[in-house]
Amino acid sequence: MSLAEKLDKIKSPKLSNQRETAVVLSAVEDTLKDQHHDRTPTAYFVALLALLGQAVPSSNAIVNKDLATSVVYLIDIIIPYVPAPLLRSKFPQILTSLAPALAHQDVEAPLLRSSIGCLECLLLAQDTAAWTISQTDIGPRKALAGLLSLSIDHRPKVRKRAQEALSRILKNPPPSPSLDHPAADLCAETALQSLSNIAVTAGKNKKKRGHGQEDHHHPGLLHALQLVKTIALASGGWPSKKIDSLCEVLLNIAKSTNEYLTMATFEVFEIIFIGMAEAGSSSKLPRLMEVISELRPSENDSQLLPPWIAVISRGYDVSAQLEPEETFHKLPELFDMISAFLTSASHNIRISASECLISFTANCVPDSVILEPSVYDEKVLEKLGRIASNLLGVKYQSAWMEVFNVVSALFESLRWKSVPVLNDVVKTVGELRGNESFNGKKEADTVLGKAVEAMGPEAVLGILPLNLLKPLTGHPGRAWLLPILRDHVRNTNLQHFRTEFVPLSEAIFQRVIDNGDSEKTMTVKIFETLVQQIWSLLPGFCSLPLDLISSFDQGFAELIANLLYTQTELRPDVCKALQHLVESNKAILAIESPEDVILLQRTTKADAQRNLDHLALFSGNLLAVLFNVYSQTLPHFRGYILQCINSYLSITPEKELMETFTRVATMLEAALKDSASQAQADKQRQQSSDKMPPTSHTLMDLVITLSIYLPRSSFPTIFSLAALVFPLNTDPQLQKKAYKLLPRLAASPVGLQALQDRNTELQQLLLTTASSASSPCRRDRLAAIAVVVENLPPSHLHFIPSVLSEVVISTKEVNERARTQAFDLLVLMARKLQTGGTIAQSQIPHMPPEAPDAKASLEEFCTMVSAGLGGVTPHMVSASITSLTRILFEFRQELEESMMGELVRTMDEFLEDRNREVVRSVLGFVKVAVISLPDEVIKPRLESLLPKLMGWSKEHKARFRSKVKNILERMIRRFGSELVEKWCPEEDRKLVANIRKTRERRKKQKKKGSAEADDGESEQEAGKRKGRFESEFENAVYGSEDDTSDSEIVTGGGGGGGDGGQSRSTANPRPGGKNAPHTFIVEDDDDEPLDLLDRKALGNISSTKPVRARNLQGRKQVGKNAKVDVDGKLVINGDSDDDDDDSGGVDLDVAAQEGKKKKKKKKKSGDDAAEGGGVGAYVDAIRGRDAVQRGRGGRLKFSNRREKDAGGGDDEMEVDDGGGGGERGTTTSRADGTRAVGGGGGKEGSARLKSGRGGSGSGRGGTGRTGRLGGGVKKMKMQRRGLGVEKVRGGRVAKRGGGGRR
């Protein structure tokens, strides 16, 4: 942006705080105009400096802050365009003018930021001579010192602006022989001094606070570290003379418990190392690493040692990039230095040391050492091998798990150079792994696996032989090595498998054969397993073998063929091995950079091509074997064989391919003739899962597999086969396979070109076979039509309306994949017509020859689909509506409003249809329209749409009511409840009011319960969320029937006729499921939420909906004098005169506030259990008093004891109370003669006695009666009893020992 554009932008301010700047700029321009000066940057600059002198006089007092802010802001904009010589010559005067704005203690941040910008441009304009002026004189160094002080200002924006200015200054030094800025030393020294002072101050403050308080907040240290980081990044490192003191300060700061300080310290080191990675700064690195090494902390300092090790690791990583050979030669010394920490008792130190050694191994071993090692490199490798072997000694036994990781990294880095350097390591780890008492078998397996990858199986087995046939004393068998070899063998010699494992397999298999037909012993089964494990190694040996040409000869090929024919259980491994031979070499050819091939593998691209050429010599015979094996295998076991066939077809010469295809095609034609005379019933019996499929099916699979690799000359035969099979509706499976030919051909460039050339023939073939297409092949037929449509020439667009009816009716297919394919094809057709062209309607079947041509467009396609609305059957009408819904949703942004309005008007009329299938589709259309169409289209139709829509709200079948309700929710969310209520019929407005209130209640709950956004988001955003559906369209049509409504709030029954606990539905039912599962959380009336981590939470989860309390009068019947104890339990005294009884009772209203909020366990009668579901019974069964328990030895113990009171052996018996008007209570008879009667509340089984929710009257809370009947009714008391409670004086129930279940 030019200066003129910036000033023009200022002249038209949009904010009030910018008007002052516009006024100042206008005044300056008027002054220049009056003095007849041009509006040059210099003229602006001089005028603004004069104006700044008026706002900020030499007394350092800012007279007018607003004027000063505007003037300095304008100077900041103009000064980059001022000539540099002027800024150099007038530097003292300019700096003197800006000094008050920079140094005044009350200056505000906007003025300060603009001043920093001016100072930045001034310093960038200075030359080398100016930077030599002393800091005590007015010069650039003095100005830079002020900028450094602002770089640690407490105001974030000021600090950021100052650090950005400092970074630009240091990155742009004045022209001189030196690469560093003249002020780099000054910046480093000042920043280091500030960091040291702040660190000392923070340390003193920490001591004053005490060691028990952590230093969580050190903003000054963070700001100083950020300044050091800025200077190091801008200067390309840190001055060599200052490295010692900087490292010492940084390492001391790294000891802080504040993780942010530690991270900031590491970032400083990281940036210093990054700067040194440049070639110009590489000379500083050795000195830095020497200083860091000298600052080595104590071996037991678990706080400082891990950061120090991390810095060492990162430093030598950079060193390896700059000086790879020298760094590699230091590796033995570094390993000795760091491995000493592996003996530490601190786990963190051991982990840090092992990670450092792994970093050394991964980063400090150059490629030249692996590819072309020198004599000295070999000696270094030997030293590393000895160190690694020593790490497995008893001295480091506590760190063996960490050592295993280091050794694994060594194998990965040294690769094949691990032989013989790490032979002792393999031997030691193998011996440890063979020890039954060793606990690190998994880690040892990982090490040995890395060894197999690096050294090769031959070297590893030379150190750790398997000893399977004749294990000797002291030489145990190592069958556990076979799975390790299977997972890690690759890029090795195939000949080793032939000479070592094939004879071993034959010898073991001979023992299996010697067993004959007698019963298999455990030894024989083990031998069979060993044979399978041995042959499972073959895929690894065939993964890029080094000696493929010499090892894969005719004899080995015959052995493979024999195994494929005779050993069915080995076929998967053998086929996988054959496939790996081809695929691994093709992967090498696909790699772009040949350096990676030389580095990672020992096979070049030329070697890979020679290997493929060698395999091509055997491909013909191998394919013949694979074809035969494929035809003898059941369909559900054929997948791996077909993949192997694909691999070898890709390398087979064209001549052999054509010969193979000719044989297969001839056999297929003959099989088709034979199958024509076979009865369909026989075919179905033959196609059962335990019998082989017809020969024609197998041959068609082979033709499909071959098709993608065939030349153009074979395509006429392929198309003739397709034309022969497409009409065969007597064999749906064969027809289904035939339709897969077209998508398969489209996957290759040659096949795609053939499809384009024969597009007209394919169109005619698909049209003539439409009537004979069976239902199982529908999806594949639609995929074939999609291939034809995609490659349709512009002059053949009439094919789309010709097959449109078939595609539309397929949207109602039972098969989900067929429906999805139909929807995708609809969209493809629409996009094809959207590109334009002409539709020759005279060439459409059943159209008159004189039919005029139509212009292809999206609207024309909608018109074509709309023709199905006049269908004879409701099924066709429903399919057309569903298709229009999909098109409307996909092209809602591209369709004309007139077309969308016409569609909505048409669907409005279809809402009056009495066929449920049609209306179901219309409801889906209306829902999509409400979600996606603009207001201008939907709002005018609400007047007629809503009354017809509400007519289906009373229909319960096919979930019509829930669909209408969901549409209403969408309308209310988008248009507001007032508009919806306005056009809704009077008798249905209650439903709208209910939805509105539910939404308002939901919003209040969301605001109260969480900070999440409410559901007032736009429908466009809601439409983008897929949720659990695979596409936006499915989410729009089928989703959100329950996702927009929150959990239903109901109240459960409460004891004594009071309110019960609340219940929340925690799982929304799946749409369309009649018996969809629900889960409810039963809560108390208090505000305390249910703790789902509590073990007792299961008792509050129900699979059935709790019942709402019907009678709320019980609460009103509770007298004001009713008392509860401190735990919220009712205390009812029989004597009316005993109001002053010192029984610990409190007023009910007070108890409702002071009583503890605890959950009460419901007691259910037999009828209750029937209604309450199985959750409560399950809890009682596993945690009740009669629950089964395990005694000594794990034996089950059943308790038949009755529940006893804490005071003695009181037996109790539950009987039904006769009162309560049919609702049941519970009467507990005790040995002391009293009976406690618990009444039912609400419905049966939902009674719950809660704090302040008691009731009176028979069956509604019940009464307590004494067992002493002589002399009349005496003092009446009722108490509630549960597990872990005991009876105390006064009739109360006191909790004992921490509370059982109540």
Side-chain angles (χ1 to χ4, degrees):
M1 187 182 293
S2 63
L3 177 61
E5 293 174 344
K6 291 181 179 180
L7 295 179
D8 290 339
K9 189 175 181 180
I10 294 175
K11 292 175 186 177
S12 55
K14 297 181 179 179
L15 301 176
S16 58
N17 59 352
Q18 298 174 347
R19 294 172 184 170
E20 180 73 19
T21 306
V23 171
V24 172
L25 178 60
S26 178
V28 170
E29 290 181 345
D30 292 342
T31 303
L32 295 177
K33 183 178 180 180
D34 294 342
Q35 296 178 0
H36 305 288
H37 290 297
D38 294 333
R39 297 181 180 180
T40 60
T42 303
Y44 276 114
F45 184 66
V46 173
L48 288 170
L49 278 180
L51 192 57
L52 179 61
Q54 300 177 12
V56 185
S58 58
S59 60
N60 289 339
I62 301 178
V63 178
N64 190 335
K65 290 184 179 181
D66 295 336
L67 178 61
T69 302
S70 301
V71 171
V72 176
Y73 177 75
L74 290 172
I75 294 176
D76 186 21
I77 293 176
I78 293 171
I79 196 170
Y81 302 94
V82 177
L86 175 62
L87 297 178
R88 285 196 293 268
S89 61
K90 299 296 182 181
F91 180 81
Q93 295 87 341
I94 299 172
L95 183 61
T96 304
S97 302
L98 289 174
L102 288 167
H104 197 277
Q105 58 181 358
D106 296 331
V107 65
E108 296 179 353
L111 175 57
L112 202 54
R113 291 201 305 271
S114 301
S115 303
I116 292 172
C118 299
L119 188 60
E120 175 190 343
C121 294
L122 275 175
L123 295 177
L124 284 173
Q126 303 308 305
D127 54 10
T128 306
W131 285 103
T132 59
I133 301 175
S134 174
Q135 188 174 346
T136 57
D137 299 330
I138 298 179
R141 287 182 174 270
K142 187 172 185 178
L144 188 63
L147 189 60
L148 285 168
S149 64
L150 292 173
S151 297
I152 54 175
D153 192 88
H154 65 280
R155 289 165 288 190
K157 292 185 179 180
V158 174
R159 184 173 63 252
K160 180 182 178 182
R161 186 70 181 88
Q163 291 178 2
E164 289 175 351
L166 193 62
S167 177
R168 292 192 187 98
I169 293 169
L170 293 177
K171 286 181 179 179
N172 298 280
S176 66
S178 176
L179 296 176
D180 294 334
H181 196 282
D185 292 339
L186 171 64
C187 294
E189 183 178 357
T190 306
L192 181 57
Q193 186 65 33
S194 301
L195 180 63
S196 302
N197 295 337
I198 295 175
V200 172
T201 305
K204 292 180 180 179
N205 293 337
K206 182 180 179 181
K207 290 181 180 179
K208 291 180 180 179
R209 291 195 305 267
H211 294 285
Q213 300 180 6
E214 296 184 359
D215 48 344
H216 289 293
H217 190 60
H218 285 300
L221 268 180
L222 290 173
H223 302 163
L225 285 171
Q226 181 66 31
L227 175 60
V228 171
K229 185 165 52 172
T230 302
I231 294 173
L233 187 60
S235 303
W238 197 259
S240 302
K241 299 179 182 179
K242 307 293 182 183
I243 284 180
D244 302 5
S245 52
L246 175 65
C247 293
E248 185 176 358
V249 173
L250 290 178
L251 288 173
N252 286 330
I253 294 175
K255 291 189 296 184
S256 171
T257 57
N258 191 326
E259 59 180 358
Y260 297 105
L261 287 178
T262 306
M263 291 170 58
T265 305
F266 287 156
E267 288 176 0
V268 173
F269 274 115
E270 181 77 13
I271 288 176
I272 292 175
F273 290 138
I274 290 175
M276 290 181 177
E278 301 175 2
S281 304
S282 60
S283 59
K284 304 175 184 178
L285 185 59
R287 175 58 184 159
L288 175 60
M289 298 310 302
E290 182 182 350
V291 171
I292 295 176
S293 300
E294 292 174 354
L295 294 173
R296 174 177 175 174
S298 171
E299 294 184 359
N300 297 321
D301 191 347
S302 60
Q303 192 171 4
L304 185 57
L305 198 54
W308 179 82
I309 293 175
V311 171
I312 287 286
S313 172
R314 179 60 181 140
Y316 280 103
D317 181 12
V318 176
S319 177
Q321 299 175 26
L322 300 176
E323 299 172 344
E325 292 291 339
E326 291 77 2
T327 307
F328 173 70
H329 295 160
K330 295 179 183 178
L331 267 187
E333 300 176 6
L334 296 175
F335 261 71
D336 287 334
M337 179 179 66
I338 300 299
S339 60
F341 299 116
L342 290 173
T343 59
S344 174
S346 173
H347 179 68
N348 290 336
I349 294 178
R350 296 199 304 269
I351 290 294
S352 300
S354 64
E355 289 178 351
C356 181
L357 293 175
I358 293 172
S359 175
F360 288 160
T361 305
N363 301 318
C364 300
V365 180
D367 302 336
S368 59
V369 174
I370 307 300
L371 300 176
E372 298 177 355
S374 63
V375 177
Y376 189 72
D377 293 340
E378 296 283 358
K379 293 182 179 180
V380 173
L381 290 175
E382 291 177 2
K383 291 180 181 179
L384 289 176
R386 286 194 294 268
I387 294 173
S389 180
N390 293 335
L391 290 177
L392 293 170
V394 180
K395 179 181 178 181
Y396 302 96
Q397 185 173 2
S398 61
W400 270 355
M401 298 302 106
E402 290 80 12
V403 170
F404 283 166
N405 295 330
V406 176
V407 173
S408 299
L410 274 173
F411 280 117
E412 288 182 356
S413 297
L414 301 184
R415 290 187 280 274
W416 56 87
K417 286 298 177 183
S418 302
V419 184
V421 175
L422 298 177
N423 285 2
D424 293 340
V425 173
V426 174
K427 183 177 180 181
T428 305
V429 176
E431 292 174 352
L432 289 173
R433 173 61 177 81
N435 190 347
E436 293 296 332
S437 61
F438 183 62
N439 295 326
K441 289 184 172 61
K442 181 179 179 182
E443 291 76 10
D445 288 348
T446 302
V447 175
L448 293 175
K450 298 296 181 182
V452 171
E453 291 180 7
M455 305 171 69
E458 187 173 3
V460 174
L461 292 177
I463 303 170
L464 302 172
L466 291 174
N467 297 331
L468 293 180
L469 288 178
K470 296 179 180 180
L472 304 176
T473 304
H475 298 81
R478 296 186 177 93
W480 49 265
L481 265 176
L482 291 176
I484 299 176
L485 292 171
R486 178 197 62 205
D487 296 336
H488 297 279
V489 169
R490 61 179 57 88
N491 194 215
T492 186
N493 295 318
L494 182 58
Q495 185 65 30
H496 179 240
F497 183 84
R498 295 187 60 181
T499 58
E500 178 73 19
F501 290 100
V502 172
L504 178 62
S505 171
E506 292 174 352
I508 296 177
F509 188 66
Q510 185 61 42
R511 298 190 180 186
V512 177
I513 295 175
D514 294 343
N515 187 62
D517 297 333
S518 58
E519 184 179 356
K520 293 182 180 180
T521 62
M522 182 60 66
T523 304
V524 174
K525 293 180 180 179
I526 291 175
F527 286 151
E528 290 179 343
T529 304
L530 286 175
V531 171
Q532 293 182 4
Q533 287 184 335
I534 289 172
W535 282 99
S536 68
L537 305 180
L538 184 59
F541 279 93
C542 292
S543 179
L544 203 63
L546 299 174
D547 56 346
L548 186 145
I549 296 178
S550 59
S551 299
F552 196 90
D553 53 12
Q554 185 65 29
F556 189 69
E558 292 176 357
L559 174 64
I560 294 297
N562 185 34
L563 286 173
L564 287 173
Y565 280 126
T566 59
Q567 302 295 327
T568 56
E569 66 276 2
L570 300 182
R571 283 179 185 173
D573 291 324
V574 174
C575 288
K576 188 177 181 181
L578 291 174
Q579 185 180 353
H580 279 186
L581 285 174
V582 177
E583 299 298 335
S584 59
N585 285 282
K586 290 171 66 176
I588 294 297
L589 294 176
I591 297 178
E592 298 181 358
S593 55
E595 293 82 6
D596 292 340
V597 179
I598 297 174
L599 180 62
L600 301 177
Q601 309 289 350
R602 288 171 284 179
T603 304
T604 62
K605 286 191 174 183
D607 294 336
Q609 187 59 53
R610 285 194 293 270
N611 291 339
L612 291 177
D613 295 340
H614 179 73
L615 290 173
L617 300 177
F618 299 90
S619 62
N621 293 330
L622 287 175
L623 283 174
V625 173
L626 291 171
F627 284 170
N628 292 333
V629 172
Y630 183 83
S631 62
Q632 299 169 8
T633 308
L634 291 174
H636 44 283
F637 297 117
R638 287 176 168 181
Y640 60 89
I641 303 177
L642 206 57
Q643 292 176 2
C644 186
I645 291 174
N646 263 313
S647 297
Y648 279 88
L649 285 174
S650 64
I651 63 171
T652 303
E654 181 177 327
K655 181 180 178 182
E656 294 187 15
L657 272 179
M658 285 300 299
E659 293 175 357
T660 303
F661 173 69
T662 303
R663 289 197 300 269
V664 172
T666 304
M667 294 171 63
L668 177 59
E669 291 177 355
L672 290 175
K673 293 178 181 179
D674 295 340
S675 62
S677 59
Q678 187 178 11
Q680 180 67 18
D682 296 339
K683 288 183 182 179
Q684 291 179 354
R685 285 195 299 269
Q686 192 174 0
Q687 292 178 19
S688 60
S689 60
D690 57 343
K691 291 186 179 181
M692 297 299 298
T695 307
S696 57
H697 291 195
T698 302
L699 294 173
M700 180 58 72
D701 287 337
L702 297 178
V703 169
I704 295 172
T705 307
L706 279 164
S707 61
I708 196 173
Y709 303 105
L710 294 174
R712 286 287 299 272
S713 58
S714 62
F715 286 172
T717 307
I718 294 178
F719 289 128
S720 63
L721 288 174
L724 188 62
V725 179
F726 280 3
L728 293 180
N729 55 1
T730 57
D731 195 343
Q733 292 300 321
L734 183 63
Q735 194 180 42
K736 180 179 181 179
K737 293 177 183 296
Y739 277 115
K740 292 181 179 179
L741 266 174
L742 299 187
R744 174 75 172 176
L745 287 174
S748 68
V750 179
L752 184 61
Q753 184 63 39
L755 290 175
Q756 294 174 352
D757 295 342
R758 294 178 172 268
N759 197 278
T760 305
E761 300 176 18
L762 292 175
Q763 294 176 33
Q764 191 63 31
L765 178 61
L766 290 172
L767 289 175
T768 54
T769 56
S771 59
S772 59
S774 57
S775 181
C777 71
R778 184 67 61 190
R779 179 173 68 94
D780 296 291
R781 175 176 168 83
L782 292 174
I785 294 175
V787 171
V788 175
V789 170
E790 193 172 359
N791 299 281
L792 205 61
S795 58
H796 290 72
L797 294 179
H798 60 273
F799 175 72
I800 292 179
S802 301
V803 297
L804 183 58
S805 59
E806 180 182 357
V807 178
V808 169
I809 202 68
S810 297
T811 60
K812 302 288 288 185
E813 278 287 331
V814 177
N815 186 280
E816 181 182 359
R817 293 183 178 180
R819 294 197 307 270
T820 304
Q821 185 66 51
F823 285 131
D824 294 342
L825 183 53
L826 274 175
V827 175
L828 178 63
M829 288 177 167
R831 295 199 182 280
K832 193 70 176 179
L833 292 182
Q834 192 180 14
T835 58
T838 303
I839 303 174
Q841 298 191 85
S842 58
Q843 300 184 26
I844 302 175
H846 310 295
M847 289 289 287
E850 64 275 5
D853 295 343
K855 184 179 179 181
S857 64
L858 193 57
E859 287 71 20
E860 180 66 22
F861 183 71
C862 292
T863 304
M864 295 177 186
V865 179
S866 301
L869 298 177
V872 179
T873 62
H875 190 70
M876 184 62 190
V877 177
S878 175
S880 301
I881 296 174
T882 304
S883 302
L884 287 172
T885 305
R886 181 68 180 94
I887 297 169
L888 179 69
F889 183 81
E890 184 70 26
F891 300 97
R892 58 188 182 277
Q893 305 291 342
E894 304 165 33
L895 277 172
E896 297 179 358
E897 285 193 10
S898 58
M899 173 58 69
M900 291 188 290
E902 183 65 24
L903 289 176
V904 175
R905 186 190 64 80
T906 304
M907 298 305 158
D908 190 357
E909 297 177 358
F910 272 101
L911 273 176
E912 297 179 343
D913 198 295
R914 304 316 301 169
N915 186 278
R916 289 190 178 89
E917 183 181 7
V918 174
V919 175
R920 185 184 179 93
S921 300
V922 176
L923 290 178
F925 181 93
V926 173
K927 184 176 181 181
V928 170
V930 170
I931 290 175
S932 57
L933 296 189
D935 294 353
E936 297 78 11
V937 178
I938 293 297
K939 276 189 177 181
R941 305 302 311 174
L942 290 180
E943 181 178 0
S944 60
L945 191 65
L946 274 170
K948 299 174 184 177
L949 197 63
M950 298 307 296
W952 291 97
S953 65
K954 303 174 183 60
E955 179 65 51
H956 292 276
K957 291 185 178 180
R959 303 189 66 183
F960 276 61
R961 180 180 175 84
S962 62
K963 291 178 182 295
V964 173
K965 184 178 179 181
N966 187 257
I967 294 174
L968 288 176
E969 290 178 356
R970 295 284 185 172
M971 287 182 176
I972 293 174
R973 179 185 294 184
R974 185 172 181 184
F975 305 118
S977 58
E978 295 80 6
L979 184 62
V980 176
E981 287 184 2
K982 176 181 178 182
W983 302 118
C984 191
E986 183 68 29
E987 62 274 10
D988 296 315
R989 291 183 181 177
K990 290 183 179 180
L991 178 59
V992 179
N994 175 264
I995 295 173
R996 175 176 51 79
K997 292 178 181 179
T998 303
R999 292 185 69 249
E1000 293 174 354
R1001 183 168 60 250
R1002 191 184 309 139
K1003 288 182 179 180
K1004 290 179 181 179
Q1005 291 173 351
K1006 285 186 177 181
K1007 291 179 180 178
K1008 181 179 179 181
S1010 65
E1012 296 179 0
D1014 59 9
D1015 59 350
E1017 58 187 351
S1018 62
E1019 291 300 332
Q1020 289 78 6
E1021 295 175 351
K1024 295 179 182 179
R1025 298 175 302 181
K1026 292 186 178 181
R1028 63 179 183 273
F1029 297 97
E1030 295 183 359
S1031 66
E1032 296 180 4
F1033 174 69
E1034 291 181 356
N1035 190 21
V1037 177
Y1038 305 112
S1040 302
E1041 291 188 359
D1042 295 306
D1043 58 357
T1044 57
S1045 60
D1046 284 352
S1047 305
E1048 185 177 359
I1049 307 297
V1050 298
T1051 57
D1059 292 345
Q1062 288 183 341
S1063 172
R1064 291 200 308 259
S1065 174
T1066 61
N1068 290 331
R1070 184 183 303 174
K1074 182 177 180 181
N1075 297 321
H1078 292 74
T1079 305
F1080 296 88
I1081 294 179
V1082 183
E1083 293 184 349
D1084 290 333
D1085 283 337
D1086 47 42
D1087 296 330
E1088 182 178 352
L1090 175 64
D1091 184 7
L1092 294 176
L1093 297 180
D1094 189 1
R1095 294 183 178 180
K1096 301 178 182 179
L1098 184 62
N1100 291 71
I1101 298 177
S1102 174
S1103 59
T1104 58
K1105 185 175 179 180
V1107 186
R1108 186 186 302 272
R1110 295 178 179 175
N1111 189 4
L1112 301 179
Q1113 298 177 357
R1115 184 187 307 176
K1116 300 178 182 179
Q1117 295 175 1
V1118 178
K1120 294 184 178 180
N1121 295 328
K1123 297 180 180 181
V1124 296
D1125 63 358
V1126 294
D1127 284 335
K1129 301 178 179 64
L1130 279 174
V1131 177
I1132 303 177
N1133 295 324
D1135 295 340
S1136 60
D1137 298 331
D1138 195 14
D1139 293 339
D1140 297 331
D1141 184 16
D1142 187 13
S1143 59
V1146 295
D1147 188 61
L1148 181 63
D1149 296 333
V1150 178
Q1153 300 176 7
E1154 298 180 355
K1156 293 183 179 180
K1157 300 174 181 179
K1158 298 182 179 179
K1159 299 177 177 63
K1160 280 74 176 178
K1161 181 181 177 182
K1162 289 190 289 186
K1163 292 187 176 181
K1164 301 179 180 180
S1165 62
D1167 293 335
D1168 294 338
E1171 182 175 345
V1175 175
Y1178 173 74
V1179 175
D1180 289 338
I1182 63 173
R1183 298 173 59 187
R1185 58 174 183 161
D1186 295 330
V1188 180
Q1189 299 179 353
R1190 289 190 179 273
R1192 182 176 301 175
R1195 297 180 179 178
L1196 297 178
K1197 292 168 51 177
F1198 298 85
S1199 176
N1200 294 324
R1201 294 176 299 172
R1202 297 182 179 179
E1203 182 182 6
K1204 297 183 179 181
D1205 196 40
D1210 294 347
D1211 297 333
E1212 65 179 28
M1213 174 182 62
E1214 292 186 357
V1215 296
D1216 291 338
D1217 186 15
E1223 298 190 5
R1224 298 199 177 193
T1226 302
T1227 303
T1228 304
S1229 177
R1230 299 186 177 90
D1232 61 356
T1234 62
R1235 290 191 297 169
V1237 183
K1243 293 183 181 180
E1244 283 187 305
S1246 59
R1248 175 179 291 188
L1249 188 61
K1250 303 186 64 64
S1251 175
R1253 295 290 187 252
S1256 61
S1258 60
R1260 292 290 184 183
T1263 61
R1265 293 180 296 172
T1266 65
R1268 298 181 293 273
L1269 300 179
V1273 179
K1274 294 187 177 181
K1275 193 174 184 179
M1276 299 174 64
K1277 293 183 179 180
M1278 184 188 76
Q1279 66 180 19
R1280 192 170 175 199
R1281 186 178 177 198
L1283 295 180
V1285 297
E1286 64 180 351
K1287 187 169 58 177
V1288 298
R1289 186 173 182 181
R1292 291 177 290 123
V1293 177
K1295 187 175 180 181
R1296 202 177 80 171
R1301 291 176 294 173
R1302 289 179 291 139

